[in-house]
Structures are given as structure tokens and as C-alpha cells.
Amino acid sequence: MNAPASSAGLHVADLKVEYYTDDGIVKAVDGIDFAIRPGVRMGFVGESGSGKTTTALALMGMIESPGKVTSGVARLDGLDLLSLSDAAFEQHRLATVSYIPQGAMNSLNPVARIEAQILEGFRDHGAPLARADAQRRVASLLEQVGLPPAVGRMFPHELSGGMKQRACIAIAIALRPKLLIADEPTSALDVITQRRVMETLGRVQDDIGSALILIGHDMGLMAQFVDEMVVMRDGKVVEHGDVRTIFANPSHPYTRTLIESVPSLERRSKPSRATTNGGQAATNGMPLLSFDGVSKAYGQVEALRPLSFTLAGDMPCVVAIVGQSGSGKTTLGSLVLGFETATNGRVTYSGDDVNRMGRAAVNRFRREVQAVFQDPYASYNPFYKIDHVLTVPLKNFGMASSREEALDHMIRACESVGLDPAQTIHRYAHQMSGGQRQRLMVGRAIMVKPRLLVADEPVSMVDASLRSTILGNLETMKTELGISVLYITHDLATAYEIADYILVLHKGSVVEAGVPETVIDDPQHPYTRLLVDSIPWPDPNRHWGAGGSLDEETQSVAEADVTQPLVRNEIEGFRLA
Amino acid sequence: MNKPENVSHPTPDTGTKPATATRDALVSDWGTSSRRLRTVLLYLKRNPNLTVGLVLLAALAAVSLGGQLVLEPKFADPLANRPKLPPSWEHPLGTDSQGRSMLGVLIYGTFLTAKVGVIAGLIGVAIGAVLGFMAGFFRGWVDVVISTITDVLLTIPPLLVLVVVAANLATKLDTNQMALIIALLAWREPTRQIRSQVLIMREAGYLKTARLGGTSMMGIVFKELMPNLIPYLMASFVLAMATAMLASVGLEALGLGPQNEPTLGMSVYWAMFYGALLLGMWWWVLTPVLALVVLFVGLYLVSAGLDELANPRLRRRRQ
């Protein structure tokens, strides 16, 4: 199957990449064919290990030993990429095929100015520019990616994550390549920044008219951005076609699983509060948790403005606290857990001030309030095996009186989140995947059986397919164990899926609150509207920016009032004062 | 390759016990001491540096400590034997020109030199660990005071101080005093190393996990932080010990060591002083030098092996 040598765009036929390891040959990419015309955006989707990044590396001539391209043709405007020598490929990297890396924060040189890093490409490709010309090119490139010219004189640490990613785009397009490869360019960014970066990327691609490959596992982002899609699994293409066709009618079951793993408005399983087993109220008739004019300042920076609410606990509910990084949501979580002390006001747990508890009250508080944190990699003490996170609470809270009893608890904790105990408790944390670790953290919380759980971005670092599993666990905790959950997230879509009540936090203040149907289906505050508009819905027909352009929306957020929250409805068990 | 991990309906059941048979078959030896011993042995097999280093040091210790049971200390003293004897059955390592048995020097000298290293290293690491831990854990003015003093003292070349102190005491010096003099400056590097480690560890996410598990402040320091510090403490100790022994051998080779004790460094000094090689008495030079080489190579290998232990990510996987 030979691709026509003369036709424009990228033509790949029968590409195979194999890795020679001690355990045998791994077919990372196993005979794939596809073609991209100039100006078209192609999405590569699949789990980690499916071969999507290896495909991109092959097109960049960057497969390293023990890997090897064993067969195939890849022609870009007639140029046979796979037959180029290493030295010849250097002439084409950046100039013909260009790459936008995953972690912009790690791929920029920390000691060089942005302009120097942009100009490096011109220098390496035999076109050193005169000083004035160079300045002009840098300014126009920065303008293309929506950055002010002053950024050229800055160092990477002076830029935000989104700005760094856009600087990476400027570097990648400097030589007007024919093919752009973007490898999960927004994976560490919040939805608004993600939307900004992706809109920038789309615009510059239109400007230079190159073909574009977007690698990712977020089906929502794919639906918003690409024209065609390739779904990969175990090195093979399982589905390939127009993005609308695939979303409307996925033919492969794997594609269907991927699409369904994205939270979506249509598929919301309304948590049935009526079926819960009754709540875990504080025994003394006091509300489980209450904030009384609580604020927190770090020096001059106000992380959280005065906030008051009560969570009764007798009617378990999931309260989502939604906001971007810097909105104060994690500070709020730390205040609840007693890891931070409020600057003003009081955080009380069943009547006791969280920071002024006696010994007995602290013990009870620790047992009854648990948390799952964002980073499953940092949550385990590397010195101990996995079982340590389970044995510590068992011992400290006196939950087991013998080795057998402790073991029973641990086995149930593993099984409650679908982990095999025999494959789990003898291992070290670094021998498990991030998803497995995070599930065990949830299992640990289930084992301790708290009354209140603080879940701080529990799914932002795990694969999409695991998200719904973990969110399902949280919901089970509410409905079957009667645990109230504070769900802290930047992701409105997941909040919509599991929350009973949503607080939208912006710059330390609650700007809008209500049940998900009100807040998300009919957002009133401009900031909520911006957040909702920036959700990458897994639906090619529902586009970003339905509520106007990003700049207009940001402008109206800046002008909006943040002092008085818009509260439209209340639920039983939670009251915002 | 990762399969999508699907668990549709997790059931956090509370009452039922898992089947005993399953439990026993899968995880029967969890938490038992035989399991722990097996883990240690398997680990040593995967870390040849540590194993070989420990074997070298153990062999030297066996010779030195075992030898003390058979050979009396006076054999290492001058005039105890006929001088200038080459190795023979009666004197396996020969004797020097003043009648010391070199086997006696090997047995008692190695012990004395190692003792200087252990005493100075232990004092240095103990002081350094406490200071470094306080500086890193409490921050604030405690950190400022400790760090400033450490940083200033780090600029002083240790040999300068040691030569001055030792030269004033030279004739009356014994090995214990020697160790104390060296310990005067041996805590500076451990302080810096431990402080930087504690600075990193105090922000670790697992401390939050431990607090949620009801661990007290003391528990966090001793059960969560300290175990992670142990490899660094051990590596610091090995390093401090090697540095201290190097300093003692250096001082002794300059003739500033204890005149009346047969340490390895003093033997090297006497061998140079009396021109052992010119007299063709190779055994006089070779014995202390070989002992020193085994000692330092052993310490180096242990230190390299501990490096790997300190970072579990580098720990080799089970075959």
C-alpha cells in the first residue's frame, strides 16, 4: 500500500515500531495507516501505552534504542520521513515537523529568555537574523499566540503555566512547519487556561496552514478541537474517521467506553438522596461542620474571604467547591482538616473549634474527618509498603485487635475499590500506577468510615477511564455509608455528575451557589458562565464559546461583583450563610 | 499495557469476613518476622555494593576482634619480639625494627583506627542530626542560628585546627582524645545534609496522610520522617567515619598521633621514619596499608549501597 508521493499532507502506511526488551519484542505501533491533509486537525486518542506517542516520535525521527521502526512509509509533502538519516532529520525537525510538548513548565530552558529560545530555531536552521529583524519576528510570533511583546524579554519562571504553553507554541511554529504535533499540551492546566491555549493553537494552525496531530486521552477536548480522530489501542488503530461520525456512532466498543467515561450533562445519574441510609450527624445535636466568618490571608494575599456555612451531616450530601487554581478552594479544604489556622473566624466540628481541641476531641475529629488528596504519588511514605497507610489508622483508632482482624479490614478496603489484596499490600507505592494508588486512598477512606470526607481534586491526575470509577466510589460512600463529602475541584463537569450542591469560588469569594441544575444549566454570574463555557463537552456540536469569545467573557468577569454570592436555592443539610 | 480498569459497583460491605482460605493463601505471611527476614535477604542479593562492602568490613572486624582473643596486646608493643623478622610461621606478618609483631599491629591497630572513626563519626552525626533536624523542621530563627554557625565553620580547613590542637598535645595524646579532637569539626557536613533532607521531607504529602490517620506529632517525627532519614543518617555516618579516619591517619602520618599506641597511621609513620622500604621490609609497609585499603573500600561500597537504599525508586526490582 504505497502512498502517492506527490500529494500534499502527511501519508503514513503500515508503520510499525518495535521495542526489543528482555521480555521479548513489544509491538508499540503495529501497522497503522492514516493520512492528514494540510490544515486538518487529527486527534490521536488512547490510554497510556496505546502507541499514540510512539507514533508521534516515529514521525519526529526520535525513536531511541531499544526501539526501532521496522516497517512503513511516512511521506510529508513527498518527503520520506522514515528514510532520513539522523543528521538529515535535524534539518527537518522544527522546520518541517514540529512538536509541542506536554509539560511546558519543564521543556523551556529556565535560564534563557523566551526570545532567545524562539530565535534558537532560526539560528539552528541556517537563517540567523539581523537584530532588528529578529526583534520583529519575535514580536509577531508572540502576538500570534496572544502574548504581549514584553514576554520576549522574560524568563520562564515569570510566566504562568498557560503563558509558558503558548510560548512553546510560538517556538514550535517559528519556522512554519508543515506538520505540528501537540502531545497533551494542556494536561496540567485548568479548563479556562486550556480553552485559551487550544484556541491559540487552532488559530496559529489556521494561520500557517499546517497539518496538526493532537495526542490526548480527553475525549471532550477531542470533540472540541479536532476534525478527524484515530482511536488507538495496543498499537493498533481501532477506529478512524470524522469526529462527528465517531461521536454520533462509535463502532468499536473501546471507543464507546472512552466516550462514556467523560462526564456529560445528558448522562447525569441524579444522586438519589432519598435512598440514603440516613446520615452521620454529630452525636450532640450540633452541625457536623460549620464555618463562622472564616477567612485566611497569607501575608497580603487574601486566599479566602470571610465565609460562613453549616453542614448538618444528618442528611449526607456532596458539596462541590469549584474554582480555578488560586481561587482558595484548597485553602478551604486545609482549614476544614485543621492543617491551616483561620486568620479570622472559627471552623467548628460538631461544636468544637478545629484548632483548639482537647486530646479526646482531636482523636475523634481525626477519625471522623478523612481526606483524599490530588496527588496519589506524594500520599504514600516511600519507606513503607502500601499497607502502612491502612495499618496506621487501624492502630491509632483502635479498629483492630489482632493481626487477622487488621488483615480483614485491609482486604475489605482493597476489595471495596476493586483492587486485588494479594497484588497490593505487599508492594511499595512506586510499584503501583497512579490510578491504583488513588483507588487505595479511597479504599482507605472507606475503611476508616468517617462522617466527613474532604476530596481535594481526587481525579485530576488519573486516567479518564478511572475517573468515573472513583467518582462512583464517592457516591457510594454518601448513599451507603452516609458520609458527607466536600468535593474540591476545578472541573465543573465532574461536579455536575456527583454534587448535590455547588459553590463556585473565585478569588477567595463564593460568587455563585446552588444545586447543579441551577448553577450549571443556567449560570448567572459571569465567572460561572466562563467556567461552564470552557468545559470541553464530549459533543462536537456543542462548542466552546457559545457564550461569546474568551476575551469578552474574561472582561465581564473582571467587571462583575464578587462581594455578594448569587444564591438561588438551598438544600436540606447544607446552608450558606 | 494498561487495560481500562473497570469496577462498576464497588460495595463497601462492612460486616462480612473475607473467606479465610483466600486470605491465608494470598497474604498468609503478612506482618510475620520470617517475611521481614526474607525481604532483607532478598534485598541484599539485589544490592551487591552493600553486600560486598559489609562483607569486607565484617572480615576486617573478624580478624581484629577475633585476633584479640588469641593474641595479647603486648605483641603490638615495641621490644615484645625479635626485631626485623620477615613473615614466618611464628610471626605470620613479620616484625618491625623495634620488635612489634605486625600481626599484632593489624589486630590492635585496625581496631584503634576504626575506634577513632566510629567515635568521631558517631559524635559528629549525632550532633549533626539533632542540629540539622531542628533547623529543617522548626525553620525560623532556630534555622538561622544553626545554619549561620555551620556555614561559617564550614569555611575553616579542618587540618589547620587539628594540627594546631594535636601538636600542642602530641606526646600526651591517646586515641580517645584524638577522636574527640576530630569530632570537634565532624558535625558540620551531617548538619547540612540532614537539614536539606528534612526541608524536603517536611512538605511531603505522606505527612498529611499520617496526620489523617491519627498520628501524633512525635509519631510523625519518629515513625514517618525518621525512617526516611535513616539511610541518610547511615550514609552521613559512613562518610563522617571515613573522613575522621582519614584525618586521624593524616595526623598520625605527620607524627602528630598517639606515640604509644600502634594505630595503622602510626605504623605508617614509623615505617617511613625508619625507612622500612630501604631496609627491604615490605611487610612493615604492606600490612597497615592493606588494612587501610580494605577499610576504606569497604566503607566506600557501603556508602554507595546505602545511596541506593536511600531512594526506593532506585531499588532494584525482584527478579
Side-chain angles (χ1 to χ4, degrees), chain B residues 189-263:
Chain B
E189 289 86 1
T191 305
R192 286 286 292 262
Q193 287 158 2
I194 299 302
R195 173 180 175 269
S196 65
Q197 283 310 317
V198 173
L199 277 183
I200 295 169
M201 284 177 191
R202 75 196 291 272
E203 303 299 330
Y206 57 79
L207 297 191
K208 281 188 189 172
T209 311
R211 284 183 75 178
L212 289 176
T215 310
S216 62
M217 197 65 173
M218 292 311 256
I220 286 190
V221 169
F222 289 105
K223 288 188 189 149
E224 302 287 331
L225 282 178
M226 276 300 179
N228 283 296
L229 270 180
I230 286 172
Y232 295 100
L233 286 173
M234 290 201 291
S236 264
F237 171 64
V238 170
L239 213 66
M241 187 175 158
T243 315
M245 287 192 330
L246 203 64
S248 79
V249 170
L251 283 176
E252 287 162 2
L254 289 172
L256 296 172
Q259 306 284 322
N260 301 323
E261 289 181 83
T263 65

Side-chain angles (χ1 to χ4, degrees), chain B residues 113 116-117 120 157-171 173-186 242-261 263-270 272-273 292 296:
Chain B
T113 298
V116 172
L159 206 62
L160 183 77
V161 178
L162 296 179
V163 166
V164 169
V165 177
N168 278 309
L169 296 171
T171 48
L173 207 61
D174 67 16
T175 41
N176 291 333
Q177 290 163 338
M178 181 101 179
L180 291 179
I181 293 171
I182 292 167
L184 277 182
L185 290 172
T243 315
M245 287 192 330
L246 203 64
S248 79
V249 170
L251 283 176
E252 287 162 2
L254 289 172
L256 296 172
Q259 306 284 322
N260 301 323
E261 289 181 83
T263 65
L264 295 177
M266 284 316 289
S267 302
V268 171
Y269 173 70
W270 295 128
M272 292 192 303
F273 189 81
L292 285 171
F296 279 109

Side-chain angles (χ1 to χ4, degrees), chain A residues 266-576:
Chain A
E266 287 71 28
R267 275 191 302 276
R268 176 161 200 243
S269 54
K270 177 75 190 106
S272 44
R273 301 191 76 207
T275 62
T276 54
N277 290 347
Q280 300 251 350
T283 33
N284 55 5
M286 300 290 286
L288 202 57
L289 177 73
S290 87
F291 266 46
D292 184 11
V294 174
S295 68
K296 177 73 187 173
Y298 298 100
Q300 294 299 305
V301 185
E302 264 194 312
L304 189 68
R305 303 227 170 100
L307 174 67
S308 301
F309 66 80
T310 47
L311 178 66
D314 51 0
M315 186 76 183
C317 53
V318 177
V319 178
I321 293 145
V322 188
Q324 272 176 289
S325 44
S327 62
K329 59 188 195 303
T330 296
T331 305
L332 197 157
S334 300
L335 287 166
V336 172
L337 294 170
F339 290 167
E340 301 271 7
T341 313
T343 313
N344 285 305
R346 253 160 44 103
V347 180
T348 53
Y349 179 77
S350 69
D352 297 323
D353 190 321
V354 166
N355 294 115
R356 290 199 195 80
M357 282 180 171
R359 205 178 179 78
V362 165
N363 281 345
R364 205 192 45 172
F365 172 70
R366 281 286 165 238
R367 167 154 193 184
E368 294 179 359
V369 182
Q370 286 297 316
V372 177
F373 298 111
Q374 175 175 20
D375 186 353
Y377 296 89
S379 299
Y380 290 86
N381 191 334
F383 183 82
Y384 295 105
K385 293 190 174 176
I386 285 286
D387 58 6
H388 183 70
V389 297
L390 301 175
T391 51
V392 164
L394 288 177
K395 206 184 312 162
N396 286 336
F397 301 142
M399 293 170 69
S401 54
S402 67
R403 199 181 78 93
E404 282 71 25
E405 211 179 320
L407 211 42
D408 288 342
H409 271 293
M410 290 165 60
I411 290 172
R412 276 199 303 270
C414 293
E415 284 170 350
S416 67
V417 287
L419 292 170
D420 178 358
Q423 293 292 316
T424 307
I425 63 174
H426 282 314
R427 300 170 84 181
Y428 283 99
H430 66 270
Q431 295 169 321
M432 301 183 44
S433 73
Q436 287 171 324
R437 295 184 215 189
Q438 193 66 314
R439 275 153 76 189
L440 191 66
M441 275 327 235
V442 174
R444 173 187 181 280
I446 293 175
M447 182 187 82
V448 177
K449 280 199 234 90
R451 291 168 194 265
L452 177 65
L453 180 78
V454 177
D456 189 351
E457 303 258 23
V459 294
S460 70
M461 287 175 74
V462 300
D463 262 4
S465 59
L466 252 185
R467 261 173 219 183
S468 45
T469 310
I470 290 179
L471 293 177
N473 287 333
L474 294 184
E475 212 172 305
T476 320
M477 288 172 86
K478 181 189 81 173
T479 52
E480 293 184 17
L481 300 175
I483 298 168
S484 293
V485 181
L486 282 184
Y487 177 61
I488 297 172
T489 183
H490 68 268
D491 183 3
L492 267 179
T494 56
Y496 190 89
E497 190 168 271
I498 65 159
D500 299 305
Y501 202 72
I502 292 182
L503 304 181
V504 180
L505 216 55
H506 178 49
K507 292 184 178 166
S509 305
V510 174
V511 294
E512 188 158 1
V515 298
E517 289 83 352
T518 324
V519 174
I520 294 178
D521 294 342
D522 180 26
Q524 288 302 309
H525 194 277
Y527 180 71
T528 320
R529 228 176 287 144
L530 174 59
L531 272 179
V532 172
D533 275 343
S534 302
I535 297 174
W537 298 106
D539 176 359
N541 297 315
R542 177 173 175 164
H543 256 291
W544 267 336
S549 84
L550 191 51
D551 290 332
E552 285 166 27
E553 288 196 62
T554 325
Q555 187 56 35
S556 56
V557 171
E559 290 162 2
D561 179 25
V562 293
T563 52
Q564 195 55 44
L566 287 162
V567 185
R568 272 176 293 169
N569 34 36
E570 288 186 349
I571 57 165
E572 201 183 329
F574 182 86
R575 205 164 53 80
L576 194 67

Side-chain angles (χ1 to χ4, degrees), chain B:
Chain B
M1 300 290 135
N2 292 344
K3 284 182 204 136
E5 295 163 273
N6 279 324
V7 189
S8 49
H9 285 292
T11 42
D13 60 341
T14 46
T16 55
K17 272 190 154 204
T20 320
T22 340
R23 190 183 72 197
D24 287 350
L26 297 176
V27 285
S28 58
D29 62 348
W30 175 80
T32 57
S33 52
S34 69
R35 170 102 200 176
R36 291 200 192 107
L37 182 67
R38 205 151 58 89
T39 314
V40 169
L41 291 179
L42 274 173
Y43 179 71
L44 282 178
K45 201 174 149 192
R46 299 196 302 276
N47 192 341
N49 278 344
L50 188 60
T51 314
V52 173
L54 286 175
V55 165
L56 283 180
L57 293 183
L60 210 54
V63 168
S64 177
L65 297 176
Q68 294 187 23
L69 298 177
V70 254
L71 208 65
E72 288 176 47
K74 73 171 165 64
F75 282 93
D77 289 341
L79 307 178
N81 309 280
R82 278 183 58 201
K84 298 189 186 179
L85 289 178
S88 65
W89 278 113
E90 202 187 338
H91 297 289
L93 296 175
T95 60
D96 70 5
S97 65
Q98 290 151 309
R100 293 184 189 87
S101 155
M102 290 317 287
L103 184 63
V105 168
L106 176 68
I107 289 169
Y108 288 96
T110 305
F111 178 76
L112 289 171
T113 298
K115 188 177 81 175
V116 172
V118 169
I119 293 177
L122 272 182
I123 295 176
V125 169
I127 298 175
V130 172
L131 290 180
F133 199 92
M134 280 166 50
F137 197 71
F138 297 115
R139 306 296 316 271
W141 63 267
V142 180
D143 187 20
V144 173
V145 171
I146 292 175
S147 297
T148 311
I149 294 175
T150 313
D151 287 352
V152 169
L153 287 181
L154 268 171
T155 62
I156 298 174
L159 206 62
L160 183 77
V161 178
L162 296 179
V163 166
V164 169
V165 177
N168 278 309
L169 296 171
T171 48
K172 304 158 234 159
L173 207 61
D174 67 16
T175 41
N176 291 333
Q177 290 163 338
M178 181 101 179
L180 291 179
I181 293 171
I182 292 167
L184 277 182
L185 290 172
W187 54 272
R188 300 168 305 165
E189 289 86 1
T191 305
R192 286 286 292 262
Q193 287 158 2
I194 299 302
R195 173 180 175 269
S196 65
Q197 283 310 317
V198 173
L199 277 183
I200 295 169
M201 284 177 191
R202 75 196 291 272
E203 303 299 330
Y206 57 79
L207 297 191
K208 281 188 189 172
T209 311
R211 284 183 75 178
L212 289 176
T215 310
S216 62
M217 197 65 173
M218 292 311 256
I220 286 190
V221 169
F222 289 105
K223 288 188 189 149
E224 302 287 331
L225 282 178
M226 276 300 179
N228 283 296
L229 270 180
I230 286 172
Y232 295 100
L233 286 173
M234 290 201 291
S236 264
F237 171 64
V238 170
L239 213 66
M241 187 175 158
T243 315
M245 287 192 330
L246 203 64
S248 79
V249 170
L251 283 176
E252 287 162 2
L254 289 172
L256 296 172
Q259 306 284 322
N260 301 323
E261 289 181 83
T263 65
L264 295 177
M266 284 316 289
S267 302
V268 171
Y269 173 70
W270 295 128
M272 292 192 303
F273 189 81
Y274 290 107
L277 282 178
L278 290 177
L279 297 170
M281 295 165 69
W282 49 269
W283 59 90
W284 191 357
V285 180
L286 213 56
T287 306
V289 167
L290 274 184
L292 285 171
V293 166
V294 172
L295 198 53
F296 279 109
V297 168
L299 284 173
Y300 165 75
L301 288 175
V302 168
S303 147
L306 288 176
D307 238 12
E308 197 196 278
L309 182 68
N311 188 351
R313 258 172 252 259
L314 293 181
R315 281 184 204 168
R316 265 156 240 183
R317 293 224 174 138
R318 199 169 302 170
Q319 299 304 311

Side-chain angles (χ1 to χ4, degrees), chain A residues 160-184:
Chain A
S160 71
M163 290 166 90
K164 274 187 256 192
Q165 193 62 65
R166 281 185 282 163
C168 283
I169 296 176
I171 294 171
I173 60 160
L175 296 172
R176 306 181 81 85
K178 290 175 181 146
L179 173 64
L180 266 173
I181 300 173
D183 190 355
E184 307 209 16

